[in-house]
């Protein structure tokens, strides 16, 4: 499942008044995608110019970006779970300070 499809699925589970949270995550993902594309173009320009591209650094960059995207989705999932269990005294909250 793609990230945007997962965000949409989580959005549908949220109460209407909290769905703007999913818009923030969508926008953050788009910003990350834009940043990755700019980095790709910059790296390509450096390579054309003759600069040596260090593969291990590029791999670390991509892994870090993937980790950030994964954490955004995970945080959204936890937020939705806390919203859906709001008022349930037996639910152990992911965010002790609440989701409001």
């Amino acid at each position: 499942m793609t990230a945007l499809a997962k965000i949409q699925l989580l959005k549908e589970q949220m109460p209407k008044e909290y769905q703007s949270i999913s818009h923030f995550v969508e926008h953050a993902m788009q910003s990350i995608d834009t940043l990755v594309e700019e980095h790709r173009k910059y790296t390509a320009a450096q390579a054309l110019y003759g600069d040596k591209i260090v593969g291990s650094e590029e791999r670390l960059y991509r892994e870090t970006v993937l980790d950030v995207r994964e954490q955004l989705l995970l945080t959204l999932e936890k937020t939705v779970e806390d919203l859906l269990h709001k008022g349930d005294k037996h639910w152990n909250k992911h965010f002790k300070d609440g989701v409001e």
Side-chain angles (χ1 to χ4, degrees), residues 31-45:
S31 293
I32 291 170
D33 290 343
T34 301
L35 181 67
V36 168
E37 182 61 19
E38 289 174 7
H39 177 78
R40 186 192 65 78
K41 289 177 183 178
Y42 176 73
T43 304

Side-chain angles (χ1 to χ4, degrees), residues 1 4-5 12-13 18-19 22 30-31 38-39 44-45 52 73 75 78 80 82 87 89:
M1 176 181 290
L4 290 177
E12 292 169 2
Q13 295 176 6
Y18 297 105
Q19 290 184 354
S22 66
Q30 290 169 354
S31 293
E38 289 174 7
H39 177 78
K52 183 174 169 56
L73 282 175
T75 303
K78 289 178 179 180
V80 170
D82 278 359
K89 65 181 180 181

Side-chain angles (χ1 to χ4, degrees), residues 22 68-69:
S22 66
V68 169
R69 290 176 60 91

